Amino acid sequence: MTRVIVVTGGATGIGRATAERFRADGDEVVITGRREDVLAKTAADLGARGVVCDATDPAQVERLLDSLPDQVDVLVNNAGGNTDFGRPDGGLDQLKANWLANLEANLISAVLTTTALAPRLTTAVVHLGSIAGARGPGSYGASKAALALWNQDVAAELGPRGITSNVVAPGFTAETEFFQGRLTAKRRETLLAATMTKRDGRVEDVAGTIHFLASPAARHLTGQVLHVNGGALATR
């Protein structure tokens, strides 16, 4: 049975790998993003459908609804990132702006998209968290921690309809735009040393976990944060 999958921020990195994983099943995949040219290329490469949408903009999320069918099986809230990269330091006004930027990118984007699509959902919501949500500093870590807490509300709200809601929280993952060219060799060595596997995380590792959470095997798994970090953050 062909399912409809929506992946926000689906043009690159983990989002693209996730879209590709669902397309391998023959699912109908809709990817969203802000960069029309990058989105169009990925959509053509994967045989997906691209819709330009900034998930932090309510009007654009409303327009996204107009392009989607009445039933959406899986929503993957992948859009986001650390907006502190490249933003200026300054006084309290700038500090406030920087914090709000990360909250919008990583929390509000998911809130708007999930709320808009909730009436059409049938199976699962998966939010992209981060190891930073458990131990990261600053506004990025706080935004991902807030996402994980809010996920419990989503799971409770959608659970009676048989819809699960979970967070997948990667650690260091190669082949993404997260560091925006600022990852030094020394920093990478530190991140690898913190893992138990002593290897880079790969986008396919995260995409595989997201795919599992949308599968029949995960129908009784909800309200959780699944860490995909090679043991850099161990839980029990």
Side-chain angles (χ1 to χ4, degrees):
M1 178 179 176
T2 301
R3 301 185 299 176
V4 176
I5 317 294
V6 175
V7 182
T8 69
T12 63
I14 291 169
R16 177 181 174 129
T18 299
E20 186 172 13
R21 182 66 185 82
F22 282 107
R23 281 293 299 140
D25 290 342
D27 291 326
E28 178 184 342
V29 178
V30 178
I31 58 174
T32 74
R34 295 176 297 176
R35 295 175 293 177
E36 184 174 6
D37 55 340
V38 179
L39 190 68
K41 183 179 186 308
T42 298
D45 289 346
L46 301 184
R49 183 159 63 89
V51 179
V52 176
C53 179
D54 180 344
T56 68
D57 183 341
Q60 293 191 43
V61 175
E62 289 282 2
R63 286 197 296 271
L64 171 64
L65 286 180
D66 295 336
S67 69
L68 297 176
D70 292 338
Q71 177 176 305
V72 173
D73 297 285
V74 179
L75 168 63
V76 181
N77 285 312
N78 172 76
N82 190 344
T83 59
D84 278 346
F85 290 133
R87 290 184 69 88
D89 295 324
L92 292 180
D93 285 343
Q94 186 62 54
L95 179 65
K96 176 182 177 180
N98 291 351
W99 273 72
L100 288 175
N102 256 324
L103 287 169
E104 281 203 344
N106 298 297
L107 175 62
I108 301 305
S109 62
V111 171
L112 293 177
T113 308
T114 304
T115 302
L117 267 65
R120 307 186 188 192
L121 290 172
T122 71
T123 304
V125 184
V126 184
H127 315 281
L128 193 75
S130 171
I131 190 174
R135 67 178 189 190
S139 58
Y140 177 68
S143 68
K144 291 299 190 181
L147 179 69
L149 183 60
W150 174 71
N151 170 65
Q152 295 179 22
D153 288 344
V154 180
E157 179 183 345
L158 299 182
R161 292 169 49 197
I163 302 166
T164 61
S165 181
N166 293 286
V167 174
V168 174
F172 170 58
T173 307
E175 300 175 348
T176 74
E177 298 180 336
F178 178 80
F179 289 99
Q180 299 179 26
R182 293 174 171 84
L183 181 65
T184 65
K186 183 176 180 179
R187 176 61 173 155
R188 178 177 176 275
E189 289 175 6
T190 300
L191 292 170
L192 289 180
T195 69
M196 297 176 183
T197 56
K198 307 306 177 189
R199 73 161 174 85
D200 292 339
R202 302 178 184 123
V203 293
E204 292 82 6
D205 298 327
V206 186
T209 304
I210 293 170
H211 182 266
F212 162 71
L213 288 172
S215 74
R219 290 306 82 219
H220 203 51
L221 201 169
T222 195
Q224 306 299 314
V225 178
L226 278 71
H227 293 281
V228 184
N229 56 46
L233 175 68
T235 60
R236 63 184 178 92

